Amino acid sequence: MIDTEKTGGKIALLRKEKGLTGEKLAALLDVSPQAISKWENGKCLPETSLLPALANTLGCSIDSLLMPRELFILEAVYTDGCTHIPVTGFIDSFVRGNELSITICSPFIGEQIESSRLKLLTVKYQTPDGIFFTYALQNETLHIAASRKGENFEKNFHEKLHIIGAYYGNEKEYSSAMTKIRHYEYFDWEEIPVNHETFPSSTSSDDTEYLLLVYLSGNGIHAISCAENSSLQYDHGRTFLRLKDTSKCILPDIMPLAWGMGMDCTWAGALYAALTYMGEPCTYQQLMGLSGACYRICFTDIWDFSCTDALVAYDYAEPLYRALGYTPIWADRLDKEQRKEERLAIMEDIRNGKPVLAINLRVAPEWGVITGYLDNGRFLLCRTYFDQEIYDQWEKKDCEDRQITFDDRGGYLVNDFWPFLIIHFGPSVEKRSPAENFKASLLILADSFRAESRGSYYQGKQAYEAWIDSLSEDSLFDCTADEENAERRLCVNDCMLVNLIDARRCASGYIRRNLHLLPEAFHAQLQKLADNYGSIYESLTSFREKVTLMSGKEIFYNQCRANGVSTAALRKEQIQLLKEILMLEQENCSIADTLNAGLQLPAEG
């Protein structure tokens, strides 16, 4: 008699093994989801006419669905570690009396794999005690009984991959390599080089030899074979193995970048994305504080968008990398003959799991992250702040013009330009203590505020004064006389506001979160610093919200092209606001001087 509950349980189990929802299975069989639910809950059996389609969809025989037994083959694969042939239904049909006993060879399996690699059968099966895994090599007998346990993976279900079999050689001659594998696992290698040094070759074999590994990972058993003089790689989380493809390497799942996400300094945002991928514990606000970029302001009276670039006039990178325990390695405006060597350095970092920061990867000079490479470095993959707005149009271009698919790129975009400035994570150095880092940040506060102009870029106090003076020139913002240049200045002005808002928000938060690192005698002054920066942030935010269009997509000046009086009035209001903010900035600089003197810190420079 057919047990409806056991049959229902088998249907549910196999459906899940196939990755199907009840609704999807119902659609494939042209029945209602309610019918699937009734079968799986043991309330009724499928109609006889549906059994062939159901068994075929679930990859099993009709008898295995309806006949009560305790041993059930969930998945069987005949493979040489390169070619994988599913034979689940065929193997399951040989279960007799809750036991399976077969000899593995291609004539029996009925499938031929044309290679000299060692062949095997991997099996995932279920008994009343749970789900188990096992395998047998060619010409070996595989014996499974419901009363005997194979490799039980239930207790390791969420752990990293576990190698259960290793062999070196080929189908003619091979030997176990498990001792070697256990030795190499001790050293936590990121990749396994397959050669005659790591896996000694047979003296009698002149044919190509292979490393065959059988391992458990996730909820499955896997086999992979790698030819000599190649390598196997662990993925980033050491959850599976893959053949190393030296022509490309992609670092997976580096976070997207975009403006309006609380990270409007592209350099600090790109750095945060890279460090997060590398597992470094940090926040965007912390990076802004440790570098001193939270105190920065830069302006050029030619109204260049580059004034918002964190590194355009002051080196905030060196103190930050020092605080993080890294040495920055720079590649600055390389000649073409130097690019080949730099390309190799980028590729090496990517292979070692280290993203690379660069500016001007796509569209315009903003910072982004190099996330991988294709075609031996011919194409660099990246994350940039422009991805979201241009993704669709460049998705088509990359696929059609460059013959690079979405899967090829791992979800990233291809760079447009060779970056003119690149920063690598160099050798590790000893980290300073959190207190020392905070003290260094206070030194940068005062030093950057008094910094002299660099080229055409004003900094600190001079930047505020130059910005105010330029806003006072009504002729510069006359859209009727020179629409293109006027609109450029209006747009740069808005970018200046956005970056200053972002920086002062970070400054206030960074100081508040770290004032406990210094003696209590300094807390009142530090609190005053934080309050002043908080006040600057709030007043700038209020002003920008007031003069921004309801859509939030265009800056306030664009609505005023035909009304010069209104534009002039708003600029006048901004000028007054910047003068008030400059007074607070000067007060903060004086407070920082007092703190630095009290902490006996030498002045920068």
Side-chain angles (χ1 to χ4, degrees):
M1 182 176 179
I2 298 174
D3 187 322
T4 57
E5 288 190 3
K6 287 186 177 180
T7 298
K10 289 179 183 178
I11 293 172
L13 176 66
L14 290 173
R15 172 180 62 76
K16 294 174 183 177
E17 284 292 319
K18 291 291 184 180
L20 298 173
T21 63
E23 291 77 7
K24 181 62 175 177
L25 179 58
L28 292 172
L29 299 175
D30 196 22
V31 298
S32 69
Q34 290 77 15
I36 303 295
S37 178
K38 288 180 180 180
W39 300 346
E40 294 185 354
N41 290 325
K43 294 182 179 180
C44 66
L45 293 170
E47 294 180 12
T48 303
S49 61
L50 290 173
L51 289 175
L54 176 60
N56 182 62
T57 302
L58 297 180
C60 65
S61 66
I62 295 175
D63 286 348
S64 67
L65 279 178
L66 301 180
M67 298 300 292
R69 55 178 156 100
E70 295 182 340
L71 175 60
F72 193 72
I73 305 301
L74 299 176
E75 183 179 54
V77 177
Y78 184 57
T79 178
D80 64 351
C82 183
T83 300
H84 307 276
I85 302 175
V87 290
T88 306
F90 175 74
I91 298 300
D92 187 68
S93 69
F94 284 88
V95 176
R96 300 288 187 271
N98 294 317
E99 290 192 17
L100 173 68
S101 185
I102 55 176
T103 299
I104 309 305
C105 62
S106 59
F108 168 75
I109 297 293
E111 298 284 354
Q112 187 74 28
I113 299 178
E114 299 293 340
S115 79
S116 61
R117 300 170 191 257
L118 181 59
K119 317 298 190 299
L120 72 156
L121 181 75
T122 62
V123 180
K124 176 181 181 180
Y125 64 96
Q126 183 184 37
T127 75
D129 293 322
I131 295 175
F132 304 93
F133 305 86
T134 191
Y135 72 95
L137 300 177
Q138 62 185 11
N139 301 320
E140 290 184 346
T141 297
L142 174 67
H143 183 71
I144 303 174
S147 59
R148 292 176 55 195
K149 296 182 179 180
E151 289 284 346
N152 186 346
F153 196 41
E154 289 181 330
K155 62 180 179 297
N156 299 318
F157 198 83
H158 296 295
E159 294 181 4
K160 297 176 181 178
L161 70 83
H162 173 56
I163 297 174
I164 59 175
Y167 305 89
Y168 191 73
N170 51 48
E171 64 179 350
K172 293 181 180 179
E173 184 177 359
Y174 60 89
S175 59
S176 173
M178 278 300 293
T179 301
K180 284 287 187 180
I181 286 295
R182 292 289 177 251
H183 174 69
Y184 299 138
E185 283 184 323
Y186 175 81
F187 297 104
D188 260 350
W189 283 5
E190 292 300 318
E191 65 181 68
I192 303 171
V194 180
N195 53 51
H196 298 165
E197 180 180 353
T198 50
F199 300 98
S201 172
S202 169
T203 58
S204 62
S205 178
D206 294 325
D207 298 326
T208 301
E209 295 179 296
Y210 307 87
L211 174 66
L212 171 67
L213 296 181
V214 187
Y215 66 94
L216 302 174
S217 180
N219 65 345
I221 183 170
H222 312 274
I224 187 169
S225 178
C226 179
E228 58 185 281
N229 300 320
S230 300
S231 295
L232 289 172
Q233 274 189 321
Y234 291 93
D235 74 312
H236 188 63
R238 295 182 75 87
T239 57
F240 67 87
L241 284 163
R242 61 171 174 247
L243 293 174
K244 182 178 181 180
D245 181 357
T246 57
S247 70
K248 69 175 182 179
C249 185
I250 302 173
L251 304 178
D253 302 324
I254 292 180
M255 63 181 290
L257 297 171
W259 283 285
M261 303 295 289
M263 298 191 304
D264 289 315
C265 173
T266 62
W267 169 69
L271 189 57
Y272 174 66
L275 289 167
T276 300
Y277 173 81
M278 294 166 62
E280 293 280 0
C282 64
T283 66
Y284 171 80
Q285 183 182 91
Q286 185 181 19
L287 297 180
M288 290 288 284
L290 289 171
S291 65
C294 62
Y295 314 121
R296 80 176 293 276
I297 180 174
C298 182
F299 178 78
T300 173
D301 49 17
I302 61 173
W303 292 93
D304 187 354
F305 284 99
S306 293
C307 61
T308 60
D309 172 16
L311 304 186
V312 73
Y314 192 94
D315 186 3
Y316 295 98
E318 289 287 348
L320 177 57
Y321 278 76
R322 176 71 177 85
L324 296 172
Y326 290 100
T327 302
I329 297 178
W330 302 80
D332 187 1
R333 294 168 176 81
L334 299 179
D335 295 331
K336 279 196 173 182
E337 57 268 22
Q338 298 173 295
R339 290 185 185 178
K340 182 177 180 180
E341 183 177 351
E342 175 58 24
R343 194 185 304 273
L344 293 175
I346 292 171
M347 293 166 64
E348 182 178 4
D349 270 1
I350 296 297
R351 288 194 297 270
N352 290 328
K354 294 194 294 185
V356 179
L357 262 64
I359 192 169
N360 201 39
L361 288 163
R362 296 188 65 86
V363 182
E366 297 289 353
W367 287 93
V369 186
I370 299 175
T371 58
Y373 63 86
L374 303 174
D375 195 10
N376 294 305
R378 180 184 172 204
F379 299 112
L380 299 179
L381 304 176
C382 59
R383 286 280 196 218
T384 75
Y385 276 69
F386 298 100
D387 289 358
Q388 187 173 357
E389 63 187 83
I390 63 171
Y391 196 92
D392 290 340
Q393 68 187 67
W394 283 95
E395 165 71 12
K396 183 176 180 181
K397 180 176 177 60
D398 286 344
C399 290
E400 293 181 357
D401 295 355
R402 302 175 178 179
Q403 299 296 304
I404 303 173
T405 68
F406 181 85
D407 289 337
D408 289 336
R409 295 180 279 112
Y412 301 118
L413 292 170
V414 180
N415 68 309
D416 288 332
F417 316 116
W418 178 264
F420 60 77
L421 185 60
I422 301 167
I423 312 178
H424 299 262
F425 290 100
S428 297
V429 296
E430 184 179 356
K431 292 183 179 181
R432 293 183 299 213
S433 69
E436 291 300 318
N437 285 330
F438 189 33
K439 293 175 184 177
S441 175
L442 295 175
L443 284 172
I444 296 172
L445 187 164
D447 185 63
S448 62
F449 185 75
R450 296 193 181 95
E452 293 296 323
S453 61
R454 181 178 177 182
S456 62
Y457 296 97
Y458 299 100
Q459 303 181 76
K461 181 175 181 290
Q462 291 183 356
Y464 276 110
E465 293 171 343
W467 192 6
I468 290 169
D469 288 344
S470 286
L471 285 170
S472 302
E473 295 290 335
D474 289 343
S475 60
L476 296 178
F477 298 89
D478 186 353
C479 291
T480 60
D482 188 347
E483 181 177 15
E484 181 178 350
N485 284 320
E487 288 190 10
R488 174 188 174 89
R489 295 183 186 97
L490 300 174
C491 190
V492 171
N493 184 75
D494 191 63
C495 291
M496 290 280 297
L497 291 172
V498 168
N499 276 265
L500 193 55
I501 289 169
D502 176 75
R504 296 310 180 258
R505 172 184 58 82
C506 290
S508 178
Y510 175 73
I511 293 170
R512 292 183 201 278
R513 285 169 173 75
N514 289 279
L515 60 83
H516 68 280
L517 296 174
L518 300 185
E520 189 173 352
F522 300 103
H523 287 190
Q525 291 167 302
L526 289 168
Q527 188 63 54
K528 180 60 176 174
L529 274 181
D531 290 344
N532 282 351
Y533 284 127
S535 177
I536 292 171
Y537 161 71
E538 291 173 0
S539 60
L540 285 170
T541 301
S542 177
F543 173 74
R544 187 168 184 272
E545 288 177 350
K546 171 185 175 182
V547 296
T548 301
L549 287 174
M550 293 297 293
S551 68
K553 295 181 180 179
E554 294 186 47
I555 55 176
F556 68 94
Y557 299 106
N558 288 342
Q559 67 181 315
C560 305
R561 294 179 188 174
N563 192 339
V565 174
S566 176
T567 302
L570 289 169
R571 287 204 310 278
K572 184 176 181 180
E573 184 176 346
Q574 181 179 336
I575 288 169
Q576 181 57 38
L577 176 59
L578 293 179
K579 288 180 178 179
E580 294 169 2
I581 289 173
L582 177 55
M583 293 178 64
L584 289 176
E585 297 273 18
Q586 289 174 315
E587 182 181 4
N588 280 358
C589 187
S590 297
I591 294 173
D593 286 340
T594 302
L595 288 168
N596 292 335
L599 293 167
Q600 297 182 333
L601 300 179
E604 289 286 328

